[in-house]
Amino acid sequence: MGVDRVRDEHKLKARLRSVIDGAATGLAILATVLVVAPLVAIFVYLVYKGASSLNLDFFTKVPKPVGESGGGMANAIVGSALLLGVGSLLGIPVGIGGGIYLAEFGRGTKLANAVRFTADVLNGVPSIVMGIAIYALIVVPQGHFSAFSGGVALGIMMIPTVTRTTEEMLLMVPNAVREAALALGVPNWRSVLSITVKTASPGIITGCMLAFARVAGETAPLIFTALGNTFWSVNLNREIAALPLQIYVYALSPYDDWHRLAWAGALVLIILIVLAVSLVRYVTSRGVLKGAS
Amino acid sequence: MTEIRISQTQVLSEAGNPPGQGPANGAQPEASAIRTFLLSRGNSAGADRVFQWLMVLCALTIFGIVALIAMQLVYGSQLSWHKFGFSFFAWPAGFTFASIFKAVLDPNAAQPNYWDPVNGHFSALPFIYGTLVSSFLALLMAVPLAIGVAVFLTEMCPGALRAPLAFITELLAAIPSVIYGLWAVFVLVPLMREQVNPFLNKTLGWTGFFSDDNPTGLGFFSAGVILAIMILPIISSLTREVMLAVPHSQREAVLALGATRWEMIRVGVLRNARIGIVGAIILGLGRALGETMAVTMVIGNSIEIHRSLLSNGNTMASVIANQFSEASDNMHLSALVELGLALFVVTIVVNALAQLLVWAVTRGAPARAS
Amino acid sequence: MGVGIEVTNLNAWYGTNHTLQDINLNIPANHATALIGPSGCGKSTFVRCLNRMHETNPIARVTGTVRIGDLDIYNDCKPVEIRRRVGMVFQRPNPFPTMSIYDNVAAGLKLNGYSNHHVLDEIVERSLKNSALWDEVKDDLKKKSGASLSGGQQQRLCIARALAVDPEVLLMDEPASALDPVSTSKIEDLIFQLKSQYTIVIVTHNMQQAARVAEKTGFFLNGRMVEFDSTHKIFTNPSDKRTEDYITGRFG
């Protein structure tokens, strides 16, 4: 009798536990569906809207004045390219240098840990704050908004990302490769640049691309540095249009034609990001090295 | 073998020749010529030192950036700080706590003028309120879902699904804020206006938090939803990383006791990873606090504090985005910079905390399961 | 031509771990010298002290004197200079993964700034012939990457790379331990060929290998050198009991 009751109780408990297990599994799956489905929907919607709005004019024409239909974002594309060019010139070399320090010179030191930590924290500082700082640092002394100041803001935002990915990629290079170079009597700087960095270069390049794609969509730091411009300009010393800024302005405008242009601009940015993210995935999954042990 | 011997003999026989002769003839090069060349190369100690210092300088730039931002913000906010002091972060002069409270609770009461560029009175209260409310709404919605997704991805997901899902997560984390904003303006806001807000009003309107007297569909709640969507990928991918860092032996130990899969996840994984998960959540909070464009586009940008989450509002970041380039008055600018400074300090603290928590799990030993 | 190596009171540390204690040793020029001993006995650390690779680890430290030829390597010059005169082959083949076979062999010269293509061609060919790899790779010198070769070929490529800078001493740290028996015997043949020209120091855990290739053998145990003598003497009539125990397989 007693034994049976214990067994029954045990069975009941086991059943309960398996029900809870099933429920938890169900909930996790539900959460995933709840998250992934709308996210995929957003993505598909963006691509659909963008693709149906994109045409050749988008790439070749400047915006038409309010009330006229047509026009494109040629000036914003060129503006973004200029801003990103300035940003990359500043952010990529400094970022790679920082990554080289972390991986090749600073390993295990307190300074390196502090740099790594600060880089990660800096990554979380809102971009609008970066914009204020650059405004105070460059725009105020110059007395006017400029493409240059916008580029500097973007470049500064690239540094932490590039530093951290460069470090990660360099750490994937086996130590044996470094030793081989040093044992040949190759100077350290040469060995780092021509051997270690070169070996990790596919990874470093894609890391830079990712940082590039991320800041390509940054809007907040440009609002009061590059400001935006509806005319054609390639002057680094004047305000300049940028794709994300234009999307922001057009999205909040009351004109359907401008909405269409905003969607097209969003698609261009998304394509850039998809490319960068896929490349990073591809390179890191394959490993930075082919066949090296 | 014989071939090798011959070539060696040649080398040996030429080793005695004066250096430089071999290469000039284009014949067999001189062994000693190579050595002479290498010996002439110096030790490059100078170049090495310069290179190392350059790299250190690049690394130090990161400290420089943080210091520069801090300096500019502190300097720029002097004016506002000297005039208002700590009362900048409280209610505006002339208002009591009771009168503010009344204005918050009663939709019909007059709202105090928190932010008055014309008369030069500034209070950050409505922005702090808006930032906190929208961020916490976002966390409330995003955290359970993000943990669910992470659990599914690490512990239950079939292998074939894992890579595409991780890819989608990564992609969504990289989509710019302004594009989420664009989507929200054209899809989310109408949806909120037509469907969600009336429904919330009908079912939860009695609480006072969901009284729908806002015809736009904008507001705190919409901002919370778009923020939740934006921080979901960050929280779930970090949670996943932290869960993966829990050693396999912990899982096996629990399974060996006859635990079900859920019990294994709860006891073996979540409990060990919980410090890191808290870190991931705080990191998500940090992102939400500073998120600018998407929020600016959907929060309604009114400088008021209402009890209803469906009413329009403003955040610290969104008011800066909206007003900074148009602010002509020095005090107004300074007040905006001070908001930026507050945002900077808060996000630095939040991010540092989050980073330490995540590192505690992924770098060192797993957090103790006491 | 090779030069002799004279080691006096060499001590080395990894952090607080005293890995080499008071090593005194004369390694003869143009001969192969084998270092044997159980793993962790310090023999690898010892060869890494001979080209100052030991100190590339930030927690490592060395005291004592090492003279290679007439050069006191810890006092008279920088690490870079001595490493150009002392070639090293590592336990696992480590060709530069992004370089072609040709560039791998020429790396030591090219990365040090040498650019005469005619001479480089000659040196690459001679080095590959000296390392018995030429016939296998001569058709795709610049087409194939160093990493695409088999393990044994990679190791011979690494030997060619070390020979290309025309070193006086060749250090080999268990060069065949990661290879199959056929590749191992090729490497051993090679050492036999090369030792008339270079001073070779080879670390091995394989006693037959030491017996086959080396004229002199040193036995290391727990960071000390127990015995150093002609290979024949070490393997037939060691004077130290511990050496005898190790040779006969009684421990380790």
Side-chain angles (χ1 to χ4, degrees), chain A residues 17 20-21 24-25 28-29 31-32 34-36 39-40 42-43 45-46 94 97-98 100-101 105 111 114-126 128-130 132-133 135-137 156 159 163-164 187-189 192-193 217 219-220 223-224 227 244 247-248 251-252 259 262-263 266 269-270 273-274 277-278 281, chain B residues 44 47-48 51-52 55-56 58-63 65-66 68-69 72-73 145 148-149 151-152 156 163 165-168 170-172 174-176 178-179 182-183 185-187 229 232 258-263 287 290 292-293 296-297 317 320-322 324-325 333 336-337 340 343-344 347-348 351-352 355-356 359 363:
Chain A
R17 284 171 63 192
I20 291 178
D21 185 49
T25 310
I29 293 175
T32 311
L34 264 178
V35 168
V36 171
L39 287 179
V40 170
I42 294 179
F43 192 75
Y45 187 76
L46 285 171
V94 175
I100 291 177
Y101 167 75
F105 296 107
L111 178 64
V115 169
R116 197 175 291 121
F117 186 76
T118 313
D120 284 351
V121 170
L122 188 62
N123 227 345
V125 169
I128 188 122
V129 171
M130 217 72 94
I132 300 180
Y135 172 86
L137 192 70
I156 284 180
I159 292 175
T163 297
R164 296 290 272 123
N188 196 31
W189 67 271
V192 168
L193 288 182
T219 318
I223 299 178
F224 27 86
L227 190 68
I247 294 172
Y248 172 55
L252 297 179
H259 296 162
W263 287 112
L269 282 181
I270 284 180
I273 284 154
V274 171
V277 172
S278 333
R281 282 250 131 194
Chain B
S44 75
D48 274 346
F51 179 69
Q52 177 164 0
M55 298 303 111
V56 172
C58 288
L60 292 179
T61 308
I62 288 177
F63 296 132
I65 292 168
V66 174
L68 208 65
I69 296 174
Q72 295 297 344
L73 293 176
L145 288 175
V149 172
V151 166
F152 178 75
M156 304 169 176
L165 283 177
F167 179 71
I168 291 176
E170 214 169 301
L171 206 60
L172 288 162
I175 288 185
V178 73
I179 292 182
L182 177 69
W183 176 81
V185 166
F186 290 102
V187 181
I229 291 174
L232 247 167
T260 60
R261 182 161 65 176
W262 166 243
E263 287 161 346
R287 285 291 143 89
T292 312
M293 297 321 294
T296 309
M297 292 163 89
I320 299 173
N322 261 320
F324 199 87
S325 55
L333 262 182
L336 288 170
V337 175
L343 205 51
F344 178 68
T347 47
I348 289 254
N351 275 293
Q355 213 58 253
L356 288 175
W359 281 11
R363 298 252 160 134

Side-chain angles (χ1 to χ4, degrees), chain A residues 7-284:
Chain A
R7 196 184 297 151
D8 281 354
E9 234 170 51
H10 197 74
K11 263 188 190 162
L12 202 70
K13 246 187 192 162
R15 174 127 14 110
L16 187 69
R17 284 171 63 192
S18 81
V19 167
I20 291 178
D21 185 49
T25 310
L27 277 176
I29 293 175
L30 184 71
T32 311
V33 172
L34 264 178
V35 168
V36 171
L39 287 179
V40 170
I42 294 179
F43 192 75
V44 170
Y45 187 76
L46 285 171
V47 172
Y48 160 74
K49 268 294 212 178
S52 59
S53 314
L54 206 58
N55 56 22
L56 194 64
D57 278 1
F58 179 86
F59 295 102
T60 55
K61 302 231 164 104
V62 299
K64 287 274 170 70
V66 179
E68 285 179 48
S69 67
M73 284 204 188
N75 63 332
I77 292 173
V78 171
S80 268
L82 269 178
L83 288 167
L84 288 166
V86 173
S88 303
L89 276 181
L90 172 73
I92 289 178
V94 175
I96 290 181
I100 291 177
Y101 167 75
L102 289 181
E104 303 294 323
F105 296 107
R107 266 194 226 187
T109 63
K110 282 202 180 106
L111 178 64
N113 285 337
V115 169
R116 197 175 291 121
F117 186 76
T118 313
D120 284 351
V121 170
L122 188 62
N123 227 345
V125 169
S127 54
I128 188 122
V129 171
M130 217 72 94
I132 300 180
I134 298 301
Y135 172 86
L137 192 70
I138 302 179
V139 177
V140 171
Q142 276 196 322
H144 55 81
F145 298 103
S146 68
F148 174 73
S149 60
V152 171
L154 296 187
I156 284 180
M157 297 188 61
M158 288 174 87
I159 292 175
T161 319
V162 175
T163 297
R164 296 290 272 123
T165 38
T166 301
E167 183 202 5
E168 247 164 67
M169 296 300 163
L170 288 176
L171 289 180
M172 284 167 79
V173 177
N175 222 2
V177 173
R178 291 183 184 86
E179 292 205 324
L182 290 180
L184 286 173
V186 176
N188 196 31
W189 67 271
R190 193 76 204 249
S191 144
V192 168
L193 288 182
S194 303
I195 304 292
T196 323
V197 172
K198 197 172 162 211
T199 306
S201 58
I204 295 176
I205 290 168
T206 47
C208 292
M209 270 206 66
L210 191 66
F212 184 88
R214 286 221 172 116
V215 299
E218 276 297 345
T219 318
L222 298 181
I223 299 178
F224 27 86
T225 50
L227 190 68
N229 189 344
T230 50
F231 302 107
W232 184 263
S233 167
V234 287
N235 188 344
L236 282 182
N237 223 355
R238 291 201 36 207
E239 58 269 35
I240 201 165
L243 217 41
L245 269 179
Q246 207 86 329
I247 294 172
Y248 172 55
V249 173
Y250 280 8
L252 297 179
S253 77
Y255 311 108
D256 280 349
D257 224 43
W258 283 10
H259 296 162
R260 198 178 53 75
L261 286 174
W263 287 112
L267 181 65
V268 170
L269 282 181
I270 284 180
I271 290 172
L272 186 66
I273 284 154
V274 171
L275 272 180
V277 172
S278 333
L279 256 177
V280 171
R281 282 250 131 194
Y282 174 69
V283 169
T284 44

